[in-house]
Amino acid sequence: MRLPVLAIAAGLGLASLHAAAQQAPVLTEAPLRAHLSFLADDLFEGRGTGQRGGDLAVRYLETQAAVIGLKPLAGGGYRMPVKIEGTKLLDRSFVRFDANGKSITPKNGSEIVFGTAAGKADLTIDAPLVFVGYGAIAPEEKWDDYKGVDMKGKLLVMMVNDPQPTAEEPNRFAGKAYTYYGRWLYKFEEAVRQGAAGVLLIHTTPSASYPWSVPANGFSHERFRLAGAGNPVEGWLQEDTARALFKAAGFDLDALRAQAETRAFRPVDLKTSVHAEVHSAIRQIEQFNVAGIVPGSDAKLKAQAVVYSAHWDHLGMDEGVRRDDRGDHTWNGAIDNASGAAALLAMAAEAVKHPAKRTQVFLWPAAEEQGLLGSAAYVQNPAWPLAQTTADLNLDSMNFVGLTRDIGVAGAERSSLYEAAQGVARKMGLKLAPAIPDLSGAYFRADHFNFAKAGVPAFNVGSAVFSGDGHFEFVKDPAASAARLVAFKKDYHQVTDEYHADWDLSGMVQQAQFTLNLGYAVGNAPAMQSWKAGDAFGKVKR
């Protein structure tokens, strides 16, 4: 029976069913569940970057792309090479701070995490320590934490997140919401531009929006980056460690934080010297984005494309570290992001049967967990010209707790995609979930953001990780469904993110169907999608 489970369970009428069916092919649960359970299986070893499990995932995806009938890329295959450098910190590495005759050597893993992005196996660094507030230069906010002070050869310590709103300026840096200036990626990038010897971010759970275990787990694994200059030292300081360090140097951390909330803030020399010995195993590897194409049906519009994306990687395996009482060493990444990768396969299988007017590109980026590396490589060398790409619709960490009466489209309001999403939701008998402040910087934490930075309207359609705050309207047992979604946060980037056969995937099918419907809506629209005034990140000419 081909009627969509999501529509029946939601109690939609036949007219709505017909409208949705006219807009896009109908998805069913069985193929999505099969792909999800397989990609999340221990057989794939957590789909780690630079690991055997990652290679297996790529092989599976390209094989399925061929079976489905997606057209290969210009070179005849489905792989897009991504050149990546891998760095694994060795145990003899350490960072020591000397202040007022006192030496502090934080314990790696529990008090500090660090590594190098400079591509050198052995580094010895001696540098002064400078507090630079939020480490942001934002001309549109008339904000500059560096004030032209030379940072070459200095180790920078800074806060995560953005300058907070005030009564006088309730909307500065987007109010309570995150901006890109608050993201660790921006702060590391700015430190490179400043010529610093390195950067350490002060971790708090509220400012980062995730617990210490997230950066601790990330830095315990091999870390990756695209080729190019990076910081000799970069990492995080646990808040209590930072507080003790500042106190030893004769400074009050909270007082300096308060100073950093004003435009008058200037960098503060902490009168502390840093000695770091960073020893790493470094290797150059080649990973692959996977992509396939459904050519458009319109003689003119097929020159343009809509992209659907979902990263295939997770954190892989680490046999040297036991992460729970079972001795589990595999970060399966069932929700993050076997769910999105599986959904794209199910969507592509139906799309090939019903081409849209514009071309549809199905993209599985590599190394998202390493800093959105695969999508960054894609926009540098895209399978379809970015100037002819109308939108990117991304899926990452999908709904596994049941049907909703609404759908999350956070970030769509930045472009005409919001109005398109409203139309699709209306035809499906859904409504758009209420807008909430982006307190976690979710818009900047998934692969669509690289498209946005390159000028392509883009957003992430819903999320079990970043939208699990109970604001969705669940069809069955709303309180229990919301609680399960919120509870997943303890599994985020942990070995416990594993597939469970009793998951209710009707909501995941619903989310995938909405995304496919939206892809058809923009794929068949008379004009390409556009940014709203003041919200464009890039300057791609259309």
Side-chain angles (χ1 to χ4, degrees):
M1 189 174 182
R2 298 286 292 172
L3 291 179
V5 174
L6 67 96
I8 296 172
L12 301 180
L14 289 177
S16 294
L17 283 175
H18 179 71
Q22 288 293 308
Q23 188 168 7
V26 173
L27 302 179
T28 57
E29 181 180 311
L32 197 162
R33 184 180 288 275
H35 292 307
L36 168 57
S37 64
F38 194 48
L39 285 166
D41 193 87
D42 282 352
L43 177 70
F44 282 83
E45 300 174 353
R47 308 183 308 282
T49 299
Q51 296 185 12
R52 176 178 177 271
D55 295 339
L56 290 173
V58 168
R59 190 72 186 99
Y60 180 73
L61 290 170
E62 67 178 352
T63 300
Q64 290 300 311
V67 169
I68 286 167
L70 290 174
K71 299 297 183 184
L73 304 171
Y78 298 95
R79 297 186 177 201
M80 303 181 71
V82 182
K83 303 291 186 181
I84 294 178
E85 179 178 274
T87 304
K88 174 70 173 173
L89 191 72
L90 301 180
D91 290 342
R92 64 180 185 273
S93 303
F94 67 90
V95 176
R96 186 183 71 234
F97 302 94
D98 295 302
N100 288 327
K102 182 178 181 180
S103 292
I104 299 174
T105 305
K107 184 177 180 181
N108 189 23
S110 59
E111 298 175 329
I112 189 174
V113 292
F114 64 96
T116 184
K120 297 182 179 179
D122 298 287
L123 286 169
T124 299
I125 296 170
D126 291 286
L129 188 66
V130 180
F131 177 66
V132 294
Y134 286 101
I137 299 177
E140 69 277 19
E141 296 283 350
K142 298 181 175 60
W143 195 278
D144 182 355
D145 283 324
Y146 292 96
K147 301 294 192 300
V149 177
D150 185 4
M151 294 296 163
K152 290 183 176 62
K154 299 174 182 178
L155 190 71
L156 313 182
V157 58
M158 63 184 74
M159 300 185 292
V160 186
N161 213 308
D162 304 297
Q164 296 300 293
T166 65
E168 296 76 19
E169 293 184 283
N171 295 316
R172 77 174 186 181
F173 285 90
K176 286 291 186 180
Y178 241 84
T179 75
Y180 188 53
Y181 298 110
R183 290 283 289 130
W184 62 267
L185 271 174
Y186 165 79
K187 296 174 189 295
F188 286 176
E189 290 167 356
E190 189 58 52
V192 171
R193 288 189 286 267
Q194 295 291 325
V199 54
L200 294 172
L201 307 179
I202 300 172
H203 177 273
T204 72
T205 297
S207 65
S209 81
Y210 41 73
W212 175 256
S213 62
V214 173
N217 280 345
F219 275 78
S220 72
H221 287 76
E222 184 178 17
R223 298 172 62 241
F224 299 90
R225 66 189 186 94
L226 298 181
N231 292 294
V233 176
E234 57 188 30
W236 296 69
L237 278 173
Q238 199 269 349
E239 184 182 23
D240 290 342
T241 304
R243 191 177 299 281
L245 173 60
F246 278 55
K247 183 177 181 180
F251 294 90
D252 181 273
L253 175 59
D254 291 329
L256 289 184
R257 281 171 166 164
Q259 292 179 28
E261 294 293 343
T262 71
R263 289 184 176 84
F265 172 81
R266 294 183 61 83
V268 177
D269 183 349
L270 294 177
K271 310 299 181 184
T272 298
S273 62
V274 183
H275 177 76
E277 295 189 11
V278 186
H279 304 284
S280 309
I282 295 178
R283 60 177 176 142
Q284 307 298 322
I285 63 172
E286 183 177 61
Q287 294 292 269
F288 297 94
N289 296 333
V290 178
I293 295 170
V294 179
S297 62
D298 184 89
K300 181 178 179 181
L301 293 181
K302 69 180 181 181
Q304 301 170 356
V306 55
V307 176
Y308 309 89
S309 57
H311 73 91
W312 58 256
D313 65 302
H314 198 55
L315 301 181
M317 294 185 69
D318 188 343
E319 292 293 350
V321 183
R322 194 172 98 168
R323 293 296 174 182
D324 70 356
D325 292 338
R326 300 171 298 166
D328 193 348
H329 301 279
T330 303
W331 279 256
N332 299 79
I335 296 303
D336 184 15
N337 186 34
S339 64
L344 243 61
L345 286 172
M347 291 159 61
E350 295 303 319
V352 296
K353 304 171 188 175
H354 306 278
K357 292 181 179 179
R358 286 182 175 84
T359 294
Q360 297 174 86
V361 177
F362 289 84
L363 170 67
W364 292 266
E368 186 271 355
E369 301 291 3
Q370 306 303 325
L372 317 183
L373 300 186
S375 55
Y378 178 90
V379 298
Q380 291 174 10
N381 186 27
W384 209 265
L386 296 183
Q388 297 300 315
T389 299
T390 187
D392 170 60
L393 306 177
N394 192 64
L395 289 170
D396 193 343
S397 302
M398 297 179 69
N399 172 15
F400 59 97
V401 300
L403 286 161
T404 67
R405 294 187 176 89
D406 52 5
I407 194 77
V409 295
E413 72 282 355
R414 300 172 181 270
S415 70
S416 59
L417 286 171
Y418 187 81
E419 285 70 31
Q422 280 183 317
V424 170
R426 191 179 306 114
K427 289 181 180 180
M428 293 180 65
L430 298 169
K431 61 181 180 179
L432 302 187
I436 57 174
D438 186 3
L439 301 180
S440 67
Y443 188 76
F444 314 103
R445 293 169 62 177
D447 282 314
H448 67 274
F449 183 58
N450 278 322
F451 284 86
K453 283 202 297 182
V456 177
F459 76 103
N460 191 68
V461 185
S463 171
V465 175
F466 304 118
S467 298
D469 52 14
H471 76 276
F472 286 118
E473 294 184 15
F474 291 97
V475 172
K476 296 179 180 178
D477 200 350
S481 295
R484 285 194 296 273
L485 204 55
V486 172
F488 174 75
K489 291 187 176 183
K490 68 178 175 55
D491 298 321
Y492 173 57
H493 279 205
Q494 306 298 320
V495 296
T496 49
D497 180 6
E498 298 176 314
Y499 171 74
H500 297 279
D502 62 352
W503 277 343
D504 180 353
L505 298 190
S506 58
M508 192 176 295
V509 177
Q510 180 184 47
Q511 187 178 351
Q513 184 74 63
F514 176 85
T515 306
L516 188 59
N517 288 2
L518 180 56
Y520 274 76
V522 301
N524 293 329
M528 293 182 69
Q529 301 302 298
S530 59
W531 292 102
K532 294 181 180 176
D535 277 318
F537 289 92
K539 298 180 179 179
V540 168
K541 294 181 180 179
R542 297 188 180 282

